[in-house]
Amino acid sequence: MTDVIESLEIDRWSGPFSAELQHKALAALEAGRVVFCPRLAFAVKDEEAKLLSSDFATGKAKNISLDPAKGQVSGTAASSHEEHLRAMMERFARSSNQLVTDLFPGYLEGIELARTSYRPVEIVGRQSSPRKDDRLLHVDAFPSRPTRGRRILRVFSNINPTGKARIWHVGEPFEDFARKYVGAVRRPFPLEPSLLAALGITKGKRSAYDQIMLGLHDKGKLDPRYQKEAPQTEFGFPPDTTWLCFTDQVLHAAISGQFALEQTFHVDIAAMARPEQSPLRVLERITGQALV
Ligand code: SIN
Ligand code: FE
């Protein structure tokens, strides 16, 4: 496989991991590569098997998430399955948390567990506007959730029971992408960040960094020529494998696949081994301005 993927021989969710493995994983992650663990499967229990059926995967179940603070599952009408759903998602959250803390001990002081999501709907045929279409190359940036420079780290497991891989396209280095669009991104009006926060449209104030990241996200997705011509590598993550990456840095598009679990973490730039590789620092270098 090409240099966008770093394949590691990890086969359990908890350490101890060797210093060499930790170093390899950290260097790859922070350089904007996908850390792929082909031998790390997330085990679904017998009683949870019905969550992996097309009966369950209706439109209503499209975006199932678990808020770790509230312990509540949202976005599903399948209340009869809620107990098993919560159990599976909580187990995935715990496993991912263990993996990330044992693999990246340097992050311990600056990492926060965020949402868990379950994605039971086939990506092909999903209807959405281009801005929300994750089949298009993008870096993650969310209109309602400013990060003010904190990283978005995500762990994914393919739990498809019928042998189907989850296909991604992985694009060019973040800096190359950013340089194409940063000059065209609109800057916020003076009172805009305060107003959006006061109205509850954003959770806290949007920084200049967040504004630029949203702009890059939208401009890339809305540019058919970029989507067609940008360098990209196709990669299929088979069932019973796990991968992780900084999705605010790795250009990615989810092309096809069904039944995946995802766990989000936020990481402080100060906890990184090489903060200069973060999107915030890259954008500050390009623009010559402080952005948070
Ligand atoms: C995304 O983050 O764009 C979607 C990834 C996936 O569901 O595989
Ligand atoms: Fe994404």
Side-chain angles (χ1 to χ4, degrees):
M1 193 41 217
T2 69
D3 61 350
V4 295
I5 309 277
E6 175 81 45
S7 206
L8 294 180
E9 285 303 300
I10 292 174
D11 56 7
R12 56 206 152 85
W13 291 91
S14 58
F17 298 118
S18 73
E20 193 196 340
L21 189 72
Q22 287 173 332
H23 177 80
K24 239 181 165 170
L26 183 68
L29 182 77
E30 293 195 357
R33 300 163 71 197
V34 178
V35 174
F36 175 45
C37 310
R39 301 206 293 135
L40 185 60
F42 179 73
V44 174
K45 300 195 165 169
D46 289 344
E47 70 266 25
E48 294 160 355
K50 57 182 165 296
L51 304 173
L52 309 185
S53 73
S54 38
D55 282 355
F56 179 77
T58 62
K60 279 182 183 148
K62 191 164 163 180
N63 192 5
I64 299 173
S65 65
L66 174 70
D67 181 335
K70 296 189 195 122
Q72 232 166 33
V73 178
S74 66
T76 171
S79 50
S80 57
H81 296 321
E82 188 168 331
E83 210 171 300
H84 289 142
L85 198 54
R86 176 162 348 97
M88 180 175 78
M89 292 173 76
E90 280 177 353
R91 202 166 67 254
F92 186 70
R94 273 198 308 278
S95 303
S96 303
N97 195 36
Q98 191 74 50
L99 176 71
V100 162
T101 45
D102 288 355
L103 201 52
F104 310 114
Y107 286 176
L108 213 58
E109 294 294 305
I111 197 165
E112 183 198 355
L113 183 82
R115 281 202 279 197
T116 316
S117 79
Y118 176 41
R119 306 176 178 192
V121 178
E122 170 57 54
I123 294 168
V124 174
R126 239 164 37 184
Q127 299 295 330
S128 59
S129 65
R131 258 193 198 83
K132 289 190 176 162
D133 191 348
D134 290 337
R135 292 171 299 192
L136 300 170
L137 273 178
H138 66 284
V139 290
D140 286 348
F142 303 104
S144 62
R145 283 174 277 155
T147 68
R148 289 173 287 275
R150 283 180 101 198
R151 307 304 311 275
I152 302 173
L153 171 60
R154 292 185 144 170
V155 177
F156 297 87
S157 280
N158 184 353
I159 55 172
N160 187 288
T162 63
K164 199 163 186 271
R166 197 169 190 84
I167 311 287
W168 274 27
H169 287 179
V170 179
E172 64 188 329
F174 177 79
E175 180 158 354
D176 296 350
F177 165 67
R179 284 188 183 279
K180 293 188 174 95
Y181 296 108
V182 70
V185 174
R186 173 181 81 76
R187 295 309 171 93
F189 307 116
L191 291 176
E192 193 180 350
S194 312
L195 199 62
L196 291 174
L199 291 172
I201 294 170
T202 58
K203 196 167 171 255
K205 268 197 210 175
R206 219 181 248 174
S207 62
Y209 168 76
D210 294 296
Q211 181 84 10
I212 293 176
M213 289 298 281
L214 275 175
L216 296 178
H217 170 275
D218 291 357
K219 291 207 177 297
K221 276 188 175 174
L222 297 174
D223 182 350
R225 182 146 163 209
Y226 183 75
Q227 293 299 323
K228 198 159 154 242
E229 293 173 7
Q232 46 198 299
T233 306
E234 181 164 300
F235 192 81
F237 302 98
D240 300 326
T241 69
T242 296
W243 62 101
L244 49 146
C245 64
F246 279 126
T247 54
D248 54 1
Q249 175 180 13
V250 175
L251 268 292
H252 61 285
I255 305 301
S256 66
Q258 187 175 14
F259 304 116
L261 282 159
E262 175 268 326
Q263 176 64 50
T264 302
F265 298 87
H266 294 294
V267 181
D268 292 340
I269 289 180
M272 293 177 64
R274 298 191 54 191
E276 72 276 12
Q277 299 192 107
S278 65
L280 173 63
R281 298 293 176 239
V282 169
L283 291 172
E284 289 186 333
R285 267 199 311 280
I286 298 177
T287 58
Q289 290 171 339
L291 297 174
V292 292

